[in-house]
Amino acid sequence: MDREDYDSRVHAMISAGPYEEYKFKNGKTKDPLNKMIEEVNHTRQTVAHLMGDEKLERKFHVPNPTVASLYCLPKIHKDPIGMRPISSNIRTPTEKLAAWLVNEMKKYPVRHGKSVKNSIDLVKRLEGFKLRRGEILVSFDVAALFPSVPVTEALHSLRRHLERSRAPPNHIEAYLSVAQVCMNQNFFTFRGKFFKQTFGLSMGSKLSPLLADLFMSDFEDEAQKKKLFPRIWWRYVDDVFAPVKERYLEQTLAMLNSQHNTINFTVEREVEGSLPFLDLLITRKEDDTLKFGIYRKPTSTDRYITSDSNHFGAQKQAAFHSMAHRLYNIPMERDEFEEEKSRVVKLAGK
């Protein structure tokens, strides 16, 4: 994909999505940075006061801030090729506020809903699982999750979560003030023009995964009251693993898509008894229990940072540490374990 093709696809995505150019009445593009700084300065003061720590105001200061810049990752495994938008929030006025709130929320972990941390966590939760008669393995996927989550409702989910967690009232107001300004400053620049995301959570904010998880956890709490909600439902961000009665699959999908007017699920069924999910290949055995293997997309090139690159040693080793950790924590059959082990060793030797 050359620059011209890339730019064409990004502009098409902006035109079709919940984005609009930020400009003056005369049509010239408008830089929102000064307005953003002013809003953040007010929030810094408010939060420092509510938290009873005046040092926070200085801690939240970002020197020489800038507007987020947009870049897109081509989804080459899709046909046609799609674009995944990311607005880099490095050095934006809200960068330190968002990082602070994410850290603060570790005090109040999300305990409701049905999310998993990673594929290893999923495998542990499926220990002892057995398919019932007529059930098939499926994965539900929320189409464009972050841009589909209403900011107002996500903030309501955050407030409810903090109240359930019995956070101090002044802290709740401080947290909500930070979340509000971070989510409202959905500005980005691309090729010299400024744009604003008009709906949903920003794809680049550190807060978006947290708010999306809280929103989806509330969504799941309501959906599981419905008769057709799957008996097993484990979600990683926007991907859901579930067993569903095959004859009720379309009705189940319709039920899920009727729960909220901006949340739309697609579904992928097992093929020949196997279902790729995250980095796993989940396969039903003859006794209807499950076995697990490692899954790589057809577009995978097995290319990693080479040993002769100028990256730090820890960066070069990170991918292989991850693969080794996965190898010894995903329960695989012996021949598949040895095959994956040989592959990792071979890749590490390149």
Side-chain angles (χ1 to χ4, degrees):
M1 182 182 298
D2 58 23
R3 177 180 171 123
E4 184 177 349
D5 185 20
Y6 174 84
D7 283 4
S8 175
R9 291 175 184 272
V10 174
H11 283 303
M13 181 209 68
I14 291 174
S15 298
Y19 312 105
E20 63 180 22
E21 187 177 350
Y22 194 68
K23 53 189 177 181
F24 293 100
K25 292 181 179 179
N26 63 8
K28 291 184 177 180
T29 192
K30 182 180 180 181
D31 187 342
L33 184 58
N34 288 337
K35 178 183 177 182
M36 294 167 67
I37 293 173
E38 183 179 342
E39 290 176 350
V40 167
N41 285 344
H42 175 71
T43 302
R44 288 167 53 203
Q45 296 172 0
T46 300
V47 172
H49 174 71
L50 288 169
M51 297 298 293
D53 184 356
E54 298 304 321
K55 293 180 180 179
L56 284 176
E57 184 177 352
R58 180 178 296 179
K59 181 179 178 179
F60 295 146
H61 174 66
V62 177
N64 303 315
T66 186
V67 178
S69 57
L70 178 76
Y71 65 95
C72 291
L73 302 176
K75 301 178 182 179
I76 60 175
H77 60 288
K78 300 286 187 179
D79 186 18
I81 294 175
M83 303 296 280
R84 185 188 303 278
I86 309 287
S87 53
S88 174
N89 277 240
I90 297 173
R91 287 184 52 226
T92 60
T94 59
E95 178 189 15
K96 292 185 178 181
L97 281 168
W100 173 79
L101 181 52
V102 169
N103 189 61
E104 283 289 298
M105 289 300 296
K106 293 177 182 178
K107 302 174 184 176
Y108 311 101
V110 181
R111 303 190 188 281
H112 66 300
K114 296 179 176 292
S115 64
V116 293
K117 298 176 182 177
N118 48 42
S119 56
I120 295 173
D121 186 23
L122 173 67
V123 169
K124 290 178 179 178
R125 292 176 185 271
L126 291 175
E127 185 177 355
F129 171 78
K130 189 172 184 178
L131 284 160
R132 295 175 181 172
R133 184 176 180 181
E135 285 185 334
I136 59 172
L137 302 174
V138 303
S139 64
F140 294 106
D141 175 69
V142 184
L145 175 60
F146 288 5
S148 299
V149 174
V151 170
T152 300
E153 293 182 43
L155 294 177
H156 286 329
S157 292
L158 174 60
R159 178 181 287 277
R160 285 193 293 269
H161 171 66
L162 290 168
E163 289 174 346
R164 281 194 296 262
S165 302
R166 300 192 178 185
N170 56 319
H171 289 196
I172 293 177
E173 296 310 314
Y175 298 150
L176 287 167
S177 295
V178 171
Q180 180 83 53
V181 73
C182 289
M183 291 300 102
N184 283 349
Q185 292 198 357
N186 270 351
F187 295 98
F188 62 85
T189 180
F190 182 74
R191 299 298 188 240
K193 293 184 178 181
F194 296 95
F195 299 88
K196 181 175 175 61
Q197 185 173 327
T198 58
F199 188 88
L201 307 177
S202 169
M203 289 294 290
S205 173
K206 293 179 180 179
L207 273 182
S208 292
L210 169 66
L211 293 176
D213 186 40
L214 287 168
F215 173 85
M216 287 304 299
S217 294
D218 284 351
F219 176 97
E220 290 158 351
D221 284 349
E222 289 301 313
Q224 67 182 335
K225 298 174 184 178
K226 300 297 177 70
K227 186 176 180 180
L228 287 172
F229 191 78
R231 66 185 179 95
I232 298 292
W233 172 285
W234 292 117
R235 173 180 52 82
Y236 178 77
V237 188
D238 57 355
D239 292 315
V240 177
F241 171 84
V244 175
K245 290 280 187 180
E246 186 171 15
R247 61 176 176 165
Y248 296 132
L249 177 57
E250 294 304 319
Q251 292 170 268
T252 302
L253 181 62
M255 179 275 290
L256 292 171
N257 285 334
S258 69
Q259 293 302 296
H260 196 283
N261 60 0
T262 67
I263 300 299
N264 182 57
F265 287 88
T266 59
V267 65
E268 181 180 350
R269 305 161 54 115
E270 66 174 61
V271 176
E272 297 181 354
S274 294
L275 178 76
F277 186 78
L278 303 182
D279 57 352
L280 299 174
L281 185 64
I282 305 175
T283 303
R284 62 161 73 221
K285 298 165 72 172
E286 289 185 2
D287 63 356
D288 286 327
T289 58
L290 302 178
K291 72 172 184 175
F292 304 94
I294 304 302
Y295 175 74
R296 291 177 175 84
K297 291 180 180 179
T299 52
S300 174
T301 60
D302 278 343
R303 288 183 61 85
Y304 300 93
I305 301 174
T306 57
S307 59
D308 60 351
S309 75
N310 289 324
H311 288 75
F312 289 110
Q315 293 173 320
K316 298 176 187 179
Q317 297 166 11
F320 300 102
H321 286 167
S322 176
M323 285 189 282
H325 179 70
R326 179 179 62 183
L327 175 66
Y328 286 98
N329 283 276
I330 299 297
M332 290 183 278
E333 295 187 350
R334 191 66 194 178
D335 57 338
E336 294 180 346
F337 173 87
E338 293 297 337
E339 182 180 348
E340 177 66 15
K341 181 180 176 181
S342 296
R343 185 169 187 165
V344 173
V345 171
K346 182 179 178 180
L347 290 173
K350 287 186 176 180

